[in-house]
């Protein structure tokens, strides 16, 4: 509902540039519910890597955080995101999660604190957007180690059926008996 208030709707491309916090999958699921394709960009990537992916996908919205914790120190995600947005003119809105609480620059009209837009007066429900099975769910970019990163399309029906089938038949996960944990960052497909 907060994303809807910021103009996100079916087809609005959203980039997510965060550390491994619960709000990251919340943002992914919110985008999915609205029919807004998203891309999760690994929080260890540079401003150039982030802007390249946002420009390629045509992102209008970025969800990030003030800073992330990595190996006992902070990573300045919002400052990196600001540098990236300077080279990604299509991004008009940035939602910033307060994680460390340290001061970060905020641009009036563009930047919004997560806790402000996700207020207590939000409706309890948000109707899911009807989607075709071939509609884009998310783009996952290759690392770019050997060439320009390529956005791999994952469709709504195909990805969800594939993930459910893999977890049921390959991993043999059962809802009443198993707990699954993955150490991979959500910025990589294994994390997804």
């Amino acid at each position: 509902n907060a994303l809807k208030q910021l103009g996100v709707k079916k087809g609005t491309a959203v980039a997510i540039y965060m550390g491994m916090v619960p709000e990251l999958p919340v943002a992914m699921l919110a985008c999915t519910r609205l029919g807004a394709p998203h891309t999760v960009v690994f929080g260890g990537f540079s401003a150039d890597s982030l802007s390249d992916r946002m420009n390629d996908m045509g992102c209008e919205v970025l969800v990030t955080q003030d800073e992330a914790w990595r190996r006992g120190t902070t990573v300045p995600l919002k400052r990196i995101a600001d540098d990236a947005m300077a080279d990604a003119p299509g991004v008009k809105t940035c939602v910033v999660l307060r994680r460390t609480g340290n001061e970060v620059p905020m641009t009036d009209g563009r930047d919004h604190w997560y806790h402000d837009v996700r207020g207590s007066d939000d409706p309890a429900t948000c109707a899911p957007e009807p989607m075709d099975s071939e509609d884009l769910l998310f783009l996952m970019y290759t690392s770019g180690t050997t060439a320009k990163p390529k956005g791999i399309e994952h469709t709504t029906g195909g990805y969800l059926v594939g993930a459910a089938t893999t977890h049921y038949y390959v991993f043999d996960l059962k809802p009443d008996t198993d707990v699954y944990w993955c150490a991979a960052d959500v910025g990589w497909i294994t994390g997804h």
Side-chain angles (χ1 to χ4, degrees):
N1 289 317
L3 289 176
K4 280 172 67 172
Q5 290 174 358
L6 293 172
V8 176
K9 59 187 181 304
K10 184 174 183 176
T12 303
V14 177
I16 303 170
Y17 181 65
M18 304 177 83
M20 291 294 289
V21 293
E23 292 82 0
L24 189 157
V26 167
M28 293 168 58
L29 292 169
C31 288
T32 300
R33 193 152 190 98
L34 297 175
H38 64 277
T39 185
V40 178
V41 179
F42 172 56
F45 275 164
S46 68
D48 288 340
S49 296
L50 176 57
S51 64
D52 286 349
R53 287 159 174 80
M54 290 191 300
N55 285 327
D56 183 72
M57 188 174 181
C59 292
E60 299 176 35
V61 177
L62 172 62
V63 181
T64 190
Q65 60 192 79
D66 53 3
E67 298 172 317
W69 290 104
R70 188 172 297 132
R71 294 188 202 118
T73 187
T74 58
V75 178
L77 294 182
K78 176 59 168 65
R79 291 183 193 278
I80 294 167
D82 284 338
D83 291 343
M85 286 185 285
D87 291 329
V91 178
K92 304 296 184 207
T93 304
C94 181
V95 178
V96 184
L97 173 70
R98 189 182 311 274
R99 173 78 167 124
T100 65
N102 291 329
E103 290 295 318
V104 295
M106 297 289 281
T107 300
D108 286 338
R110 183 194 70 189
D111 298 346
H112 307 272
W113 287 110
Y114 180 95
H115 62 274
D116 288 341
V117 296
R118 197 200 169 284
S120 60
D121 60 342
D122 281 347
T125 62
C126 177
E129 183 68 32
M131 302 296 287
D132 184 78
S133 64
E134 291 298 312
D135 285 340
L136 179 62
L137 176 63
F138 67 91
L139 281 180
M140 178 57 65
Y141 284 86
T142 60
S143 66
T145 304
T146 58
K148 180 177 171 46
K150 291 160 280 303
I152 310 302
E153 285 191 12
H154 295 274
T155 60
T156 301
Y159 177 76
L160 298 174
V161 169
T165 301
T166 298
H167 282 87
Y168 187 84
Y169 289 111
V170 177
F171 293 132
D172 194 31
L173 297 178
K174 303 298 183 265
D176 296 332
T177 58
D178 296 317
V179 175
Y180 175 74
W181 177 74
C182 177
D185 191 285
V186 181
W188 306 109
I189 196 62
T190 306
H192 270 258

